[in-house]
Structures are given as structure tokens and as C-alpha cells.
Amino acid sequence: MVLPSKMPQLADLDLLLSVEDYGSVGKAAQAHSLSQPAASIRLSAMERRLGIRLLERSPTGSKLTEDGKTLAEYARNVMYAARELLEFGSGSSLSETKRLRLASSPGISENLIPEWLSRGGAAFGDVRVEVQTGKVDTLRQLVHANHVDLAFIDGWCEAGGLVPKQSREDLITQYICDDRLAVVVGSGHPWATRPGPAAVQELADAQLVVRERGSAIREFTEELLGAARGPRNYLEFPSNGAIKHAIAAGQRAAVLNVSTVRSELADGRLHWVPLDRDMPAKPIHAVWSKTRPLPGYARELVEIAAKKGSPLRPVDGVSELGSNVIAEADAARTMFLRSQSMETMT
């Protein structure tokens, strides 16, 4: 079989999938160690070879066209087959290898899955664990295509996206825990030791560090501050790690999900600032296919994750300050709201 000349290269298909995941040619280029102009040239060349338009480009980012989404579905199957071929060529036997294939949102893969695996101890000592990340639709596609055994999906993967509403009849979901958003600052910030909650208007007027446009947390932050016409003064980063570093070392505040900052809250590097309104919590679910039995290692990981419980709790073995930070923040907010109510009555 002779491949036609317009057949896309594997590297170009992989780049397209990264654009879908990151929502930006520039971020996809960075992930592939390319310059943005080089990535754009490769994607444009693939569009010309195939004779279809793959991307809708705008100043705020890039998203796949309907043709691009269709190609991406085929590309994921091709990339999975390519990985299988590479493993076969390297002499590894997939049937003999103990393997656990996972997918999750980036926050879960960075902050929760490593902890869950370490909780399993020797149970995962001889298992090859592979973790992929993506948005809700991508994670579901990976489960449907049997490219992963198990996915962990949180409500912050996609704005307004709760797993039970989006799951289909051929997927099984199991509730793991809830995750909450919180305002956090560094230990040197004046708010780190303030006695009462901050007002939304104060947050809007503050120097902020925010996620990129299009992310669910960014959309929530803008919605939260909408009435206050903010944020006005901010730094924008595409990763929670960069945001945490920026606020820990400076005088800025950020809105982040608690699962990503538990360690920093526990050891005092970051501080949870109560707000004069309730902050939302969204569930984390484990998702797998109803048509295929859940492998033993995957089932064990689900049980460990569910037993570990809510990421609202700080990690074990940390300071007393860390173990009480959530209760103190909630108590301060409650006292503030009660005082406001008393003033209104009088």
C-alpha cells in the first residue's frame, strides 16, 4: 500500500490535538517545543494538503472547526495505534505488562492522582501508569474508544459542566468528592492575617493572578467580579503552578480550586481568604465504560480516591494551622454575615 501524498504526518496530527486541548496554537506550540510561527505553518500546510479548514483563529485563541473536530477524532485513534506500534517495536508485550491507563483534567492529574497512587503503596509498585489530560469531551472520547481504563472528571473541566448531565448511558460514573473554589494569597499579603472576610469589590480592586481566557475558573472569576467591573489589574497564566508561584512571592490574590493549593495552605505558603459570599463546590467523578469491566488496578484506585475523600481537607501530617484553615475561613465568613444581619435589623 502506497500512502497518498496528502496523508497528514503523525507529528502534525498530534499538534492539532494539542490545539484542541489547549485552545491556543501558541500553547500547543510550546508543549511541542515549537515556535508559534512554525506551528502555524505546519497546521496551515496540513489544511492545504487535506483541502479543509481545521481551525478558527481569533485574538483570544483558536478552536477546531467541525471538520477539525472530525479529524481530531480520527487522529486520536491514529496516535493511540502509533503508541501501541512503538511499544511492540521496542519489544514490550502489552499482554504481559501490568498497565493502568488513566485520563483526567489537568488539575486532578497534577494534584490528586499522584497522591492516590502513593496511598496504594506497593499495590501500584509494579504497574505502568499512563495519564492523559484533556477537557470533558476529550476524556469521554478516550473512555469510549477504550484508550483509557478510567477517567477522573471534575466540574471545572468545562464551564457549567457536571458529569452526570453529560454522561451517556454507556458510561458509569462514581462520585469521588467535592472540590471548592477559594480566594488565596501569599503569606506576605495584607489579607493573610485580616480578621474578617474580604468583599467582592475589594477582590475586584486587588492585583490578581488569573487563568487564561476560556478556562472555567477564569469564567467564574469574571462572573464573580462582574458587578464590580473587574478584574482590572491582573497577570494571566495558563497553569495553576505558575499562578501559585506568582502569588506566593508577591502581593497578588487568585481564585483557585482548593485541590490545587492544599499543600500550600497546609504549610502556610498560601492563605485562604474568606469572601463575603459563598464560593461554589463541584464534584469529582470517576468515569468508565459500562460495556467493559473495570480492571482490578483501576477499581482499586477508584476505591482509594473515594476513601481519601474531599480535597477540601488538607494533606495528612501537616501543621495545625493547615488542618484548621478551612474551618477558620468559613467561621470568619459566617461571623461577618451575622454581624451584617444584626446591623440591618438595628
Side-chain angles (χ1 to χ4, degrees), residues 187-316:
S187 58
H189 195 286
W191 290 0
T193 56
R194 67 180 294 159
V200 171
Q201 183 62 58
E202 289 182 278
L203 186 62
D205 294 336
Q207 296 181 340
L208 299 180
V209 188
V210 298
R211 284 294 301 267
E212 74 280 10
R213 293 188 182 277
S215 68
I217 294 180
R218 174 63 176 272
E219 290 182 11
F220 168 80
T221 303
E222 293 183 342
E223 180 181 343
L224 172 68
L225 304 179
R229 299 180 181 178
R232 302 182 183 89
N233 185 348
Y234 63 85
L235 300 177
E236 179 180 308
F237 289 107
S239 73
N240 292 332
I243 292 177
K244 289 190 290 185
H245 181 76
I247 60 177
Q251 296 289 306
R252 293 179 179 268
V255 177
L256 291 172
N257 48 317
V258 175
S259 64
T260 68
V261 293
R262 289 179 310 146
S263 297
E264 291 83 359
L265 290 173
D267 62 21
R269 282 176 290 165
L270 296 181
H271 293 260
W272 185 330
V273 180
L275 206 60
D276 62 351
R277 57 153 290 175
D278 286 327
M279 296 289 274
K282 288 190 177 182
I284 295 173
H285 286 83
V287 181
W288 65 92
S289 174
K290 184 180 292 185
T291 61
R292 295 183 299 274
L294 194 61
Y297 290 114
R299 165 54 62 186
E300 188 165 356
L301 185 61
V302 170
E303 293 175 354
I304 291 171
K307 184 177 180 180
K308 172 60 181 174
S310 172
L312 300 185
R313 302 176 186 173
V315 294
D316 294 337

Side-chain angles (χ1 to χ4, degrees), residues 32-44:
H32 289 258
S33 300
L34 296 171
S35 67
Q36 182 168 343
S40 296
I41 290 172
R42 287 172 56 171
L43 291 167
S44 297

Side-chain angles (χ1 to χ4, degrees), residues 58-323:
S58 72
T60 59
S62 300
K63 64 179 182 178
L64 271 59
T65 63
E66 289 304 314
D67 286 336
K69 292 177 181 178
T70 300
L71 179 61
E73 292 181 9
Y74 288 114
R76 292 195 186 279
N77 292 328
V78 170
M79 296 306 298
Y80 177 75
R83 285 193 293 268
E84 298 279 86
L85 177 62
L86 183 62
E87 290 174 344
F88 173 78
S90 65
S92 63
S93 173
L94 295 177
S95 61
E96 297 176 359
T97 301
K98 296 179 180 179
R99 182 170 64 160
L100 176 57
R101 303 171 302 165
L102 305 174
S104 72
S105 62
I108 294 176
S109 68
E110 294 173 6
N111 301 286
L112 295 178
I113 288 180
E115 180 182 343
W116 295 338
L117 291 171
S118 65
R119 288 268 171 173
F124 300 101
D126 58 349
V127 179
R128 188 178 70 195
V129 181
E130 303 168 359
V131 183
Q132 301 183 54
T133 63
K135 296 181 179 179
V136 170
D137 289 338
T138 298
L139 301 180
R140 288 208 315 267
Q141 290 170 7
L142 290 170
V143 174
H144 281 302
N146 195 27
H147 291 175
V148 298
D149 304 309
L150 173 68
F152 290 99
I153 301 178
D154 63 38
W156 307 114
C157 280
E158 189 171 277
L162 293 179
V163 175
K165 293 181 180 179
Q166 295 183 338
S167 295
R168 303 173 183 175
E169 293 182 356
D170 54 347
L171 290 181
I172 297 175
T173 65
Q174 179 173 327
Y175 169 79
I176 299 298
C177 58
D178 283 330
D179 198 2
R180 184 190 297 182
L181 288 180
V183 177
V184 291
V185 298
S187 58
H189 195 286
W191 290 0
T193 56
R194 67 180 294 159
V200 171
Q201 183 62 58
E202 289 182 278
L203 186 62
D205 294 336
Q207 296 181 340
L208 299 180
V209 188
V210 298
R211 284 294 301 267
E212 74 280 10
R213 293 188 182 277
S215 68
I217 294 180
R218 174 63 176 272
E219 290 182 11
F220 168 80
T221 303
E222 293 183 342
E223 180 181 343
L224 172 68
L225 304 179
R229 299 180 181 178
R232 302 182 183 89
N233 185 348
Y234 63 85
L235 300 177
E236 179 180 308
F237 289 107
S239 73
N240 292 332
I243 292 177
K244 289 190 290 185
H245 181 76
I247 60 177
Q251 296 289 306
R252 293 179 179 268
V255 177
L256 291 172
N257 48 317
V258 175
S259 64
T260 68
V261 293
R262 289 179 310 146
S263 297
E264 291 83 359
L265 290 173
D267 62 21
R269 282 176 290 165
L270 296 181
H271 293 260
W272 185 330
V273 180
L275 206 60
D276 62 351
R277 57 153 290 175
D278 286 327
M279 296 289 274
K282 288 190 177 182
I284 295 173
H285 286 83
V287 181
W288 65 92
S289 174
K290 184 180 292 185
T291 61
R292 295 183 299 274
L294 194 61
Y297 290 114
R299 165 54 62 186
E300 188 165 356
L301 185 61
V302 170
E303 293 175 354
I304 291 171
K307 184 177 180 180
K308 172 60 181 174
S310 172
L312 300 185
R313 302 176 186 173
V315 294
D316 294 337
V318 295
S319 66
E320 184 178 352
L321 172 64
S323 65

